[in-house]
Amino acid sequence: MSARTDTWDAVVVGAGFAGSLVAQRLGARGWRVLVLEAGRPVPGSSATSAAHRAAGGGPPTSPYPHNPDAPSPDVTDLTGLPDGGFTATGHLRQYGPLPYASGYLRANGGTGLLWTGLAPRMHPEDFRTGDLGHGRNWPIGYHDLEPHYRDAEQELGVAADAEEQRRAVGLPLPDGYAFPMRAIPASHLDRQLARALDGRTVRDPAMTDPARLAVTLTPHARNGLPTRPGTGHGAPCAGSASCVPACPSGAKYTPLRTQARWAPGVELRTEAVVSRVLADPVTGRATGVEYLAGGTAHRVTADLVVIAAHAIENARLLLLSGLANRSDQVGRNLMDHPALLTWGLMPRPVGPYRGPGSTSGLEAFRFGGARHHRAPFRIEIGNWGWSWAGGTPEAEAAALLATGLRGKELRERLGDRLGRQFSLQFELEQPADPANRVTLDPDRRDPLGLPAPAIHYDLGGYVREGMASARAVSDQLFALLGAEDHTAYPGAGWPGRLEHRGAVYGYRGAGHAGGTHLMGGSPGTSVVDQWQRCWDHPNLYAVGCGSMPSLGTSNPSLTMAALALRSADRMHQDLLALRRPATLSPPVPPSLSEPS
């Protein structure tokens, strides 16, 4: 293969959330930045939504163009076995004992194209989980990241109510702060649940006192009504209910919105699969990257190298390169938000299958003394019926058809059941555990001949205790709502089936991978420092959720964005230091330097 070399101030690997934000900030300050994306360019969100509808649905990654040299893993790669356990096919080889039950998209914009758009902040408690007896502490605290949270909320156009976030979540927001957008309105389901639940209490077996309930609007990175002139990002959310895989009106933030504001000095190359980060063996400084595109090997040199290709792909690239692993933590501590789902029928119609997937939640179980004993959890109230939890409307129709129902009776029965469907999603914190890890598969290669990623994954007793508490809370919520509980976790067809203390549970992954190159205060115990800069390589950054020592219970995209913007400031200083001429002290005259 022939090779080509070119030189840049910075090269960024990955054009998703973190990579697009870093490139935007560096480009705006005048640096020449090359962004290398393994996936293909994507059409606009409207065209993607139309393609998904025309195909009759499919998994979230299905409507996007795929680069055969850079496969995207999907949840459909997992299959439950009738006698327990699972099999895994596709890009990720999995060695269990439980499945890592999330996928990700390798395309321009990354998984940030098909996320739900929920953008809550982490709670201050989440930064010191090690002090609470589980997982690790961050080397920074909430207040170190707070100004960058505000910066990220402006960049993404977050819609939320500041006073409600202070009151219900306990976030110490600055006085007078207003989110760029007014909160997305509560759905009809949210309002019905609020009437039944607000002010009531339930018992969590791990909590000393009853938990007081309050249905709380969730921050969203989607267009609402601007809080002041100049903060708008386009037309407000139209409630199309197709946030995953794409918003047809473009109201939901994706990295393509940031890319549209890239300076002329930023260049994007797609279908460019980076195979190795290069580093000087003596100084440890990264010198550039090698990538494969169109059957040709290319080499790029740069003063600064940033890898931002998803927690799993970042770890894989560092392992392929043999870099940044003095601590033996590269690839370790893989985390997700295991999601326990429950579903049922409300007594009255609730208007499901419209609007964003979730507009409100219950926050009381995210923090407090109970997290010493069980994983904390956040409860998302699901607007999309049973689709993700218990099956699509098509499946419900097929089940009724199988009973022999036809005609008017079928239509009425189907309308009644679909109209009363709702679900709850309990997103549990999973602590950092070195045994949960990404490795290079010794026996399997990807289409380019590179070692494929392999996953070793399990859920410890702390998470399982969280599931037990979540299910106990769900039972009480259903009782307060007068709802029929139809939750069932089958053995076959549910890869995430597990048992704990005699009870059966089933989880799905939330798509929130983190922890594989986590930050810390010491090069012996972590991969990157507080700036996401690799301890062993002073000009190599690994950015994204892989740096997070804990995920808390909030969707991590906003925190990832805040970290990326914070790191971009440090990258700018690093590049300035390289360009700054050395300061030379003027020679001292001998008559002044020698004694007389």
Side-chain angles (χ1 to χ4, degrees):
M1 294 189 292
S2 62
R4 183 180 78 179
T5 302
D6 48 1
T7 302
W8 297 79
D9 296 321
V11 58
V12 177
V13 181
F17 252 102
S20 295
L21 289 167
V22 167
Q24 191 274 329
R25 288 301 168 94
L26 293 180
R29 286 163 167 161
W31 302 110
R32 295 179 62 251
V33 182
L34 175 64
V35 181
L36 299 172
E37 167 56 53
R40 288 180 167 171
V42 299
S45 56
S46 178
T48 300
S49 294
H52 197 241
R53 289 195 302 272
T61 61
S62 60
Y64 290 95
H66 289 259
N67 178 5
D69 290 337
S72 296
D74 211 307
V75 292
T76 54
D77 297 341
L78 297 172
T79 303
L81 300 176
D83 297 326
F86 69 98
T87 59
T89 58
H91 182 55
L92 296 181
R93 177 74 62 85
Q94 298 213 32
Y95 293 97
L98 288 173
Y100 172 76
S102 290
Y104 53 92
L105 177 63
R106 301 174 80 186
N108 181 36
T111 311
L113 296 172
L114 46 78
W115 70 311
T116 58
L118 275 60
R121 296 187 182 194
M122 289 178 68
H123 189 272
E125 233 179 53
D126 298 334
F127 291 82
R128 52 181 186 88
T129 54
D131 292 343
L132 302 174
H134 300 276
R136 295 198 181 211
N137 287 345
W138 289 55
I140 60 175
Y142 174 88
H143 289 286
D144 297 301
L145 198 57
E146 200 283 327
H148 306 284
Y149 268 136
R150 280 179 274 148
D151 194 4
E153 285 157 356
Q154 295 297 321
E155 179 70 37
L156 274 57
V158 172
D161 183 303
E163 181 52 39
E164 186 176 31
Q165 290 296 300
R166 290 189 190 95
R167 181 182 66 254
V169 186
L171 294 182
L173 299 171
D175 292 340
Y177 179 66
F179 288 88
M181 305 279 182
R182 296 179 186 173
I184 300 297
S187 68
H188 181 55
L189 170 64
D190 295 341
R191 294 193 295 271
Q192 288 206 36
L193 264 62
R195 283 195 292 271
L197 300 179
D198 281 359
R200 307 289 292 274
T201 61
V202 297
R203 284 271 181 189
D204 173 352
M207 296 175 70
T208 304
D209 299 318
R212 184 169 294 277
L213 302 173
V215 174
T216 303
L217 291 170
T218 305
H220 280 246
R222 71 181 78 249
N223 297 342
L225 297 176
T227 54
R228 57 186 179 275
T231 60
H233 290 269
C237 172
S240 303
S242 62
C243 319
V244 180
C247 170
S249 64
K252 182 187 73 175
Y253 171 86
T254 76
L256 301 185
R257 187 183 292 175
T258 293
Q259 291 181 20
R261 299 192 297 107
W262 279 352
V266 180
E267 178 181 320
L268 171 67
R269 296 178 191 169
T270 55
E271 299 183 68
V273 181
V274 175
S275 56
R276 188 157 67 108
V277 177
L278 307 171
D280 186 291
V282 177
T283 66
R285 293 190 66 83
T287 58
V289 302
E290 290 181 350
Y291 71 93
L292 304 170
T296 302
H298 305 264
R299 177 169 290 191
V300 172
T301 61
D303 292 325
L304 187 78
V305 177
V306 182
I307 58 173
H310 187 271
I312 289 176
E313 296 298 328
N314 274 3
R316 179 192 183 205
L317 181 54
L318 288 174
L319 292 170
L320 287 171
S321 307
L323 298 179
N325 206 16
R326 183 194 341 177
S327 62
D328 187 35
Q329 295 301 302
V330 170
R332 294 188 183 272
N333 306 293
L334 175 65
M335 295 176 279
D336 195 2
H337 281 136
L340 183 81
L341 303 163
T342 61
W343 56 97
L345 296 177
M346 288 286 283
R348 295 170 297 281
V350 291
Y353 298 104
R354 49 188 168 180
S358 176
T359 38
S360 297
L362 296 163
E363 312 289 340
F365 309 94
R366 293 177 59 183
F367 32 79
R371 69 190 302 176
H372 287 282
H373 311 292
R374 56 95 175 115
F377 50 88
R378 181 178 179 273
I379 307 176
E380 284 187 14
I381 298 169
N383 290 326
W384 291 345
W386 296 358
S387 55
W388 193 50
T392 64
E394 291 84 359
E396 187 80 359
L400 289 175
L401 281 169
T403 67
L405 287 176
R406 295 293 186 276
K408 180 181 179 183
E409 187 179 3
L410 172 64
R411 290 192 299 273
E412 290 178 347
R413 181 81 174 274
L414 186 61
D416 173 68
R417 286 180 65 84
L418 293 181
R420 294 190 290 127
Q421 286 185 2
F422 81 109
S423 64
L424 300 176
Q425 178 175 321
F426 298 78
E427 291 196 0
L428 294 111
E429 178 181 56
Q430 179 180 21
D433 180 351
N436 289 331
R437 64 186 303 195
V438 181
T439 60
L440 299 178
D441 197 313
D443 304 317
R444 188 163 167 269
R445 303 263 165 170
D446 73 3
L448 291 174
L450 302 171
I455 302 295
H456 300 254
Y457 188 79
D458 199 4
L459 299 178
Y462 182 66
V463 176
R464 295 173 188 234
E465 283 297 314
M467 288 185 178
S469 282
R471 189 59 203 265
V473 168
S474 178
D475 290 345
Q476 296 171 73
L477 293 175
F478 275 62
L480 290 172
L481 294 168
E484 301 173 25
D485 193 341
H486 288 256
T487 308
Y489 306 122
W494 194 300
R497 183 181 186 274
L498 58 87
E499 294 187 20
H500 179 60
R501 293 198 280 117
V504 175
Y505 303 94
Y507 73 93
R508 300 190 191 277
H512 299 164
T516 56
H517 46 83
L518 53 76
M519 66 166 67
S522 164
T525 59
S526 56
V527 179
V528 300
D529 64 13
Q530 64 167 304
W531 305 106
Q532 304 187 86
R533 181 172 50 193
C534 294
W535 288 108
D536 300 341
H537 312 284
N539 64 331
L540 173 61
Y541 285 75
V543 303
C545 295
S547 298
M548 295 169 63
S550 68
L551 296 181
T553 54
S554 57
N555 308 58
S557 297
L558 181 74
T559 301
M560 173 172 54
L563 287 171
L565 295 173
R566 182 175 187 269
S567 293
D569 291 342
R570 176 58 58 170
M571 295 172 195
H572 173 61
Q573 296 301 321
D574 288 353
L575 288 168
L576 285 177
L578 286 173
R579 296 293 191 271
R580 194 175 294 130
T583 302
L584 300 176
S585 300
V588 180
S591 60
L592 298 179
S593 62
E594 298 175 2
S596 56

